Amino acid sequence: MTIKTIRKKRPLPAKELAEAYDVSVRTIYRWNSQTREDWIDEQATLRESIRAYHDDDGHSWAATAEHFNMTQGAVRARAYRARKERAAEAEEKARNEAHKNEVPLFE
């Protein structure tokens, strides 16, 4: 049985929904849970939006922290990680471009 998860607030407590659908409480939690891949993508998007808000839009760390409802340390750490990820992506792209026109030694 394939279950598509729906990430939204449950209308009733998990125990009541489990009784209504004749499944376990854990199954109700699983139905409403977010997959790890989705969570990782969501966090990467959040890091990039923090970096863009501070770096590209020119807001201060205090304004960035207030906008995202976080501490200054949290937004700084996430912005630094986003910068590091962007640098790694650019380096990987440059490396692929450099080796793009080379003839392979073995086929």
Side-chain angles (χ1 to χ4, degrees):
M1 180 168 135
T2 304
I3 298 172
K4 180 171 173 44
T5 59
I6 303 168
R7 186 168 184 240
K8 60 182 177 182
K9 188 173 174 78
R10 292 187 305 270
L12 297 171
K15 187 174 182 178
E16 290 181 23
L17 286 172
E19 291 170 359
Y21 288 104
D22 195 29
V23 295
S24 70
V25 174
R26 181 67 186 110
T27 300
I28 298 297
Y29 289 149
R30 202 173 330 115
W31 284 353
N32 286 12
S33 67
Q34 183 179 23
T35 63
R36 180 165 177 80
E37 293 80 22
D38 291 343
W39 182 81
I40 290 171
D41 291 342
E42 185 179 290
Q43 293 302 308
T45 303
L46 178 63
R47 284 192 301 271
E48 183 57 30
S49 63
I50 289 171
R51 187 213 55 81
Y53 188 82
H54 179 265
D55 294 348
D56 298 343
D57 297 343
H59 295 282
S60 67
W61 286 118
T64 304
E66 185 178 332
H67 178 78
F68 288 98
N69 198 23
M70 297 178 170
T71 65
Q72 286 188 32
V75 293
R76 283 182 190 215
R78 291 176 190 211
Y80 292 152
R81 182 168 177 189
R83 289 178 192 140
K84 189 175 180 180
E85 289 171 351
R86 283 177 62 113
E89 289 171 1
E91 184 178 316
E92 182 67 26
K93 184 178 178 182
R95 187 178 306 121
N96 288 340
E97 290 293 324
H99 298 295
K100 184 177 174 181
N101 296 326
E102 291 181 0
V103 178
L105 295 175
F106 303 102
E107 291 187 43

